[in-house]
């Protein structure tokens, strides 16, 4: 087993394609780390650099204590599982699993022993004599997993291994991968674009965008304390609601005001924003944090008015799509109840559920501050925010 260390890693493909930008990441021995982000954000490139399948343009990569930038993939003690299984079609399951060991001239008896161990681990014994074309997609991916674990490598690398499976198999195989990790405790780096996979599998989740790391944190923290507006919007389904507006001070108390709403903010953690009224700000709140009330029950400073557009029943819960008077769309996840399109409602947002982000315009697309930073998270970490509109 081994730790993996990425220091200032960048990848520039020919044509000035900046796929990965100045990536710093320390992956603990035994950790299950997930790289997540939209298509094209640099996840596979990162993984392929760790595997040695892609040159590193800049930076230092270590596996354990060893710098491996120039080490051949075969000598890095890693095993990789791909989306498309990549099994040898002309070989049986047994031979597919034994292949890498044979190449390494492992003694025959030991190969048999390790193949038997891996097959048992994954319930593959009945399939050992078959060829890949006689297997279902799910079985093929189990064989690919078997082929990875049989070598007992120091690090597992997974690139979207579940993407070709149907929904049910995806969930089953996900649980299988989690169990394998619990039993083997092998350092694992797992790439997915699927936020649910990221949240359920990762000890730590690294959210990437445009080649940058936006946040590396526990699954719960990325959800509850997203570092910026990108992370906030990427994790969570339905996604977080955003309202553009500005800060205001009413009777000495800090609030958020937009065309549709005036909402009270928790004051205690926002001392440093005092005197920043009229500062442009984006308020964010998650769908499950909203409460729908009768318009007559509206509460000053806590509710905004909206009209129901569509409801999507999901069994015990439902998603309610709303529109404010100024035309902003919001979504609320709430307990299932009869609610008709066209009905006017008061949407309650409690102060503690409001995230505050800098507007997007700050910074530019070439820098990681492009997406509005989460001001409360910065404050909780003691990071000073430049004042924008200090009052006299
Ligand atoms: N071999 C390549 N040559 C040039 N550009 C590439 C190559 N591979 C990937 N890219 C580009 O690098 C960026 C990151 O790609 P990739 O790492 O595959 O993203 P992801 O796995 O997150 O979808 C994309 O813009 C992609 O088009
Ligand atoms: Mg990819």
């Amino acid at each position: 087993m081994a730790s993996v260390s990425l220091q200032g890693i960048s990848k520039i493909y020919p044509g000035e394609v900046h796929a990965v930008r100045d990536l710093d990441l320390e992956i603990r021995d035994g950790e299950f780390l997930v790289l997540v982000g939209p298509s094209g954000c640099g996840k596979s490139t990162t993984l392929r650099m760790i595997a040695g399948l892609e040159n590193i343009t800049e930076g230092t990569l270590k596996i354990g204590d060893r710098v491996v930038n120039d080490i051949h993939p075969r000598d890095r003690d890693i095993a990789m599982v791909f989306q498309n299984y990549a099994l040898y079609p002309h070989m049986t399951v047994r031979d597919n699993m034994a292949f890498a060991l044979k190449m390494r001239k492992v003694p025959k008896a030991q190969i048999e022993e390790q193949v038997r161990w891996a097959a048992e681990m994954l319930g593959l014994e009945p399939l050992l004599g078959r060829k890949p074309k006689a297997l279902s997609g799910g079985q093929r991916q189990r064989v690919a997993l078997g082929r990875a674990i049989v070598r007992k490598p120091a690090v597992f690398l997974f690139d979207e291994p579940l993407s070709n499976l149907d929904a049910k198999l995806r969930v089953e195989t996900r649980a299988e991968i989690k169990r394998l990790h619990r039993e083997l405790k092998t350092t694992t780096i797992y790439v997915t674009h699927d936020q649910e996979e990221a949240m359920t599998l990762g000890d730590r989740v690294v959210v990437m965008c445009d080649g940058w790391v936006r946040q590396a944190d526990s699954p719960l923290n990325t959800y509850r304390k997203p570092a910026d507006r990108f992370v906030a919007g990427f994790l969570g389904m339905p996604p977080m609601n955003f309202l553009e507006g500005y800060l205001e001070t009413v009777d000495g108390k800090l609030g958020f005001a937009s065309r549709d709403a005036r909402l009270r903010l928790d004051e205690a953690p926002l001392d440093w924003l005092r005197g920043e009224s009229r500062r442009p700000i984006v308020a964010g709140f998650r769908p499950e944090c909203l409460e729908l009330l009768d318009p007559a029950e509206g509460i000053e400073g806590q509710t905004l008015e909206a009209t129901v557009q569509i409801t999507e029943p999901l069994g015990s819960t439902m998603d309610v799509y709303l529109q404010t008077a100024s035309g902003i769309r919001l979504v609320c996840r709430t307990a299932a109840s009869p609610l008709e399109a066209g009905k006017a409602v008061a949407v309650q947002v409690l102060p503690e559920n409001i995230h505050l982000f800098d507007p997007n315009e700050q910074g530019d697309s070439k820098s990681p501050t492009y997406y509005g930073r989460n001001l409360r998270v910065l404050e909780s970490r003691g990071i000073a925010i430049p004042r924008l509109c200090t009052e006299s």
Side-chain angles (χ1 to χ4, degrees):
M1 302 219 284
S3 58
V4 178
S5 164
L6 291 81
Q7 296 161 4
I9 296 277
S10 295
K11 176 69 187 185
I12 305 175
Y13 287 112
E16 283 298 294
V17 180
H18 290 253
V20 176
R21 303 168 190 259
D22 198 15
L23 179 59
D24 287 315
L25 211 50
E26 297 295 326
I27 302 153
R28 278 184 291 105
D29 182 17
E31 183 171 7
F32 197 121
L33 184 103
V34 178
L35 299 177
V36 69
S39 177
C41 71
K43 306 179 297 292
S44 293
T45 301
T46 303
L47 205 67
R48 293 171 60 81
M49 284 191 286
I50 297 169
L53 303 174
E54 206 71 72
N55 287 329
I56 295 170
T57 310
E58 215 173 296
T60 305
L61 172 68
K62 282 177 160 184
I63 298 179
D65 297 332
R66 189 164 66 133
V67 175
V68 296
N69 285 50
D70 299 319
I71 302 287
H72 193 275
R74 195 181 47 226
D75 301 320
R76 293 192 184 194
D77 201 13
I78 48 132
M80 189 148 167
V81 178
F82 301 89
Q83 173 177 346
N84 61 7
Y85 324 127
L87 300 176
Y88 300 109
H90 58 286
M91 289 184 199
T92 61
V93 168
R94 178 182 283 106
D95 290 342
N96 262 286
M97 287 169 69
F99 185 73
L101 298 173
K102 272 189 194 146
M103 289 291 105
R104 282 174 174 72
K105 311 246 183 306
V106 175
K108 207 163 170 226
Q110 191 185 336
I111 293 180
E112 270 177 33
E113 164 59 29
Q114 279 180 234
V115 168
R116 189 171 330 117
W117 166 80
E120 202 175 303
M121 195 93 187
L122 285 156
L124 288 171
E125 297 104 322
L127 308 177
L128 285 173
R130 290 202 204 166
K131 291 201 176 149
K133 68 173 184 301
L135 301 174
S136 71
Q139 288 170 330
R140 281 178 207 174
Q141 197 51 296
R142 292 171 82 79
V143 174
L145 285 176
R147 195 178 50 176
I149 70 169
V150 77
R151 280 168 36 208
K152 305 191 180 177
V155 182
F156 287 133
L157 304 176
F158 291 94
D159 194 351
E160 314 238 7
L162 308 181
S163 297
N164 281 351
L165 306 180
D166 66 42
K168 186 164 173 287
L169 257 176
R170 215 161 40 228
V171 173
E172 284 171 15
T173 314
R174 190 172 82 196
E176 190 78 16
I177 290 173
K178 200 163 182 170
R179 178 183 67 86
L180 276 178
H181 179 255
R182 205 167 43 234
E183 291 182 17
L184 303 174
K185 300 187 175 61
T186 307
T187 310
T188 300
I189 307 172
Y190 186 106
V191 161
T192 180
H193 66 276
D194 182 313
Q195 47 156 318
E196 195 177 298
E197 259 173 51
M199 301 294 272
T200 51
L201 282 172
D203 293 325
R204 198 151 55 112
V205 171
V206 175
V207 184
M208 293 182 71
C209 174
D210 293 338
W212 296 107
V213 168
R214 317 287 330 185
Q215 187 166 7
D217 220 328
S218 69
L220 212 57
N221 269 352
T222 53
Y223 191 77
R224 289 194 183 156
K225 298 175 182 171
D228 61 33
R229 201 175 147 174
F230 174 79
V231 176
F234 183 75
L235 297 175
M237 194 47 78
M240 185 183 278
N241 297 293
F242 296 108
L243 276 185
E244 291 179 21
Y246 52 89
L247 289 174
E248 63 170 9
T249 315
V250 181
D251 299 335
K253 294 188 171 165
L254 209 55
F256 167 82
S258 77
R259 281 204 283 171
D260 294 299
R262 303 184 83 163
L263 299 169
R264 257 183 32 226
L265 298 172
D266 256 349
E267 284 182 80
L270 292 169
D271 269 352
W272 54 273
L273 278 178
R274 214 170 285 285
E276 285 276 282
S277 68
R278 309 300 298 178
R279 181 188 179 111
I281 210 144
V282 177
F285 28 87
R286 298 231 177 250
E288 67 273 21
C289 294
L290 301 182
E291 190 92 46
L292 299 185
L293 309 175
D294 197 79
E297 298 170 1
I299 304 163
E300 169 113 33
Q302 276 192 13
T303 51
L304 61 115
E305 290 170 11
T307 311
V308 175
Q309 302 274 294
I310 297 171
T311 60
E312 285 185 352
L314 299 161
S316 62
T317 62
M318 67 176 178
D319 290 344
V320 183
Y321 291 84
L322 304 149
Q323 192 167 329
T324 66
S326 81
I328 307 287
R329 299 229 163 90
L330 302 174
V331 53
C332 161
R333 176 161 287 183
T334 182
S337 72
L339 197 59
E340 302 221 333
K343 184 176 164 37
V345 292
V347 183
Q348 185 179 30
V349 196
L350 296 176
E352 63 266 30
N353 292 328
I354 301 177
H355 298 263
L356 295 174
F357 301 97
D358 265 338
N360 264 358
E361 292 75 29
Q362 296 174 8
D364 62 69
S365 63
K366 290 200 172 61
S367 98
T369 55
Y370 176 60
Y371 292 99
R373 300 161 301 179
N374 188 333
L375 298 180
R376 284 190 163 167
V377 168
L378 291 182
E379 185 190 41
S380 70
R381 292 180 186 161
I383 299 169
I385 310 292
R387 293 190 167 262
L388 290 185
C389 38
T390 307
E391 288 163 350
S392 54

